[in-house]
C-alpha cells in the first residue's frame, strides 16, 4: 500500500526539519551543511529546495516548530498562576528563561536574529502581541493595570523587551548570572504597569 501523497509530503518535511534542527542546535546555522542534513534524513537537496526553498527557509520552519513548542510550555507554566497578573508575568519570564537552554539559545536567540533579522518582525510576533494585548486589556478592566496605558502599545514594548532580554542571556559569557539580572530588571519594568493605590502626583 502506497502512502497518500499528503502524508508523504508531511513526512518528508518532518524529516528535513528534524535533521536541520539537530544540526542547527549542535553546530550552528553557519556550519550546518545542507548535504549533511539531507543525507542524515535520507533525502536529496532537491527535496529541501522543493519544500523550503533554501537553507534560510528551513531555518524559518525549524523556528516555527520550536516557537510553537515554547508557547505550549509557557502556557502550561503560566496556567498554574493564582492570578491573571501573575499569569502574565510568568508567561513573560518563562519565555525569557528558556534562553538558558542550549538548543533554544543557539537557534532562537543567536542564529535566528542573525539570519532572519529582528524577532519583532517574525511571523509569530503578531500573535504574541495580540495575546499580550488581550491580557493587558483584561487586567485594565479589573483595575490591576493603570488605565492610562494603551494595551497594544504596552504589549509591543514588552514583547520587544522580552526578546532583547532573551538575546542578552543567549549571548552572555555567563548566561545563568545574566538571566537572574535580566529577569529581576524585567519584573521591575512590568511592575510599573500596576495600578498602585495612593495619591498620585499632579
Amino acid at each position: 500500500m502506497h502512502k497518500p501523497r499528503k502524508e508523504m509530503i508531511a513526512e518528508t518535511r518532518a524529516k528535513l526539519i528534524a535533521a536541520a534542527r539537530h544540526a542547527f542546535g549542535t553546530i550552528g546555522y553557519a556550519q550546518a551543511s545542507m548535504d549533511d542534513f539531507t543525507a542524515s534524513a535520507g533525502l536529496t537537496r532537491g527535496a529541501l529546495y522543493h519544500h523550503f526553498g533554501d537553507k534560510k527557509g528551513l531555518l524559518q520552519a525549524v523556528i516555527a516548530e520550536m516557537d510553537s513548542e515554547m508557547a505550549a510550555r509557557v502556557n502550561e507554566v503560566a496556567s498554574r498562576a493564582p492570578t491573571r497578573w501573575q499569569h502574565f508575568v510568568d508567561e513573560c519570564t518563562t519565555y525569557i528563561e528558556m534562553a538558558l537552554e542550549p538548543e533554544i539559545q543557539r537557534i532562537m536567540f543567536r542564529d535566528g536574529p542573525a539570519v532572519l533579522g529582528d524577532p519583532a518582525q517574525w511571523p509569530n510576533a503578531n500573535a504574541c502581541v495580540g495575546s499580550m494585548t488581550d491580557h493587558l486589556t483584561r487586567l485594565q478592566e479589573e483595575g490591576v493595570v493603570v488605565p492610562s496605558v494603551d494595551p497594544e502599545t504596552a504589549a509591543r514594548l514588552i514583547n520587544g523587551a522580552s526578546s532583547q532580554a532573551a538575546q542578552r542571556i543567549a549571548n552572555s559569557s555567563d548566561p545563568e548570572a545574566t538571566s537572574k539580572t535580566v529577569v529581576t530588571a524585567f519584573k521591575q519594568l512590568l511592575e510599573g504597569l500596576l495600578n498602585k493605590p495612593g495619591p498620585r502626583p499632579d
Side-chain angles (χ1 to χ4, degrees):
M1 284 274 298
H2 288 296
K3 290 180 182 175
R5 178 172 162 71
K6 192 183 259 187
E7 192 178 320
M8 287 176 70
I9 290 171
E11 273 187 19
T12 300
R13 282 181 61 88
K15 279 181 187 174
L16 283 167
I17 290 171
R21 181 170 172 171
H22 176 73
F24 295 157
T26 51
I27 59 174
Y29 178 83
Q31 299 301 317
S33 153
M34 290 197 288
D35 288 332
D36 286 346
F37 52 65
T38 51
S40 73
L43 297 162
T44 63
R45 236 190 217 232
L48 186 153
Y49 291 132
H50 176 71
H51 290 284
F52 302 102
D54 55 14
K55 186 177 169 186
K56 191 171 171 182
L58 188 50
L59 176 64
Q60 288 174 314
V62 168
I63 282 177
E65 179 181 87
M66 291 177 68
D67 186 69
S68 176
E69 292 169 6
M70 288 166 71
R73 286 175 58 192
V74 163
N75 289 336
E76 189 198 342
V77 171
S79 68
R80 301 182 208 130
T83 64
R84 191 185 300 281
W85 172 254
Q86 193 58 51
H87 183 286
F88 182 68
V89 173
D90 288 352
E91 271 193 345
C92 296
T93 56
T94 300
Y95 174 83
I96 292 168
E97 287 168 341
M98 284 183 189
L100 288 170
E101 299 176 24
E103 183 189 52
I104 290 173
Q105 189 179 103
R106 188 191 281 268
I107 297 175
M108 297 294 293
F109 300 125
R110 291 215 303 260
D111 287 352
V115 177
L116 304 176
D118 180 9
Q121 305 303 317
W122 292 0
N124 63 316
N126 282 337
C128 190
V129 168
S131 173
M132 281 188 182
T133 302
D134 289 344
H135 273 305
L136 289 170
T137 301
R138 289 179 191 169
L139 285 162
Q140 249 180 1
E141 289 166 354
E142 293 169 6
V144 177
V145 164
V146 287
S148 55
V149 171
D150 174 62
E152 185 184 346
T153 301
R156 290 190 180 279
L157 291 170
I158 294 163
N159 186 55
S162 62
S163 176
Q164 285 296 312
Q167 288 177 66
R168 182 168 169 77
I169 294 165
N171 290 290
S172 169
S173 59
D174 186 352
E176 286 282 352
T178 302
S179 175
K180 291 183 175 68
T181 305
V182 162
V183 169
T184 299
F186 189 84
K187 285 180 175 177
Q188 196 69 50
L189 283 174
L190 290 186
E191 282 175 19
L193 293 168
L194 288 172
N195 193 9
K196 300 181 178 74
R200 293 187 176 277
D202 293 331

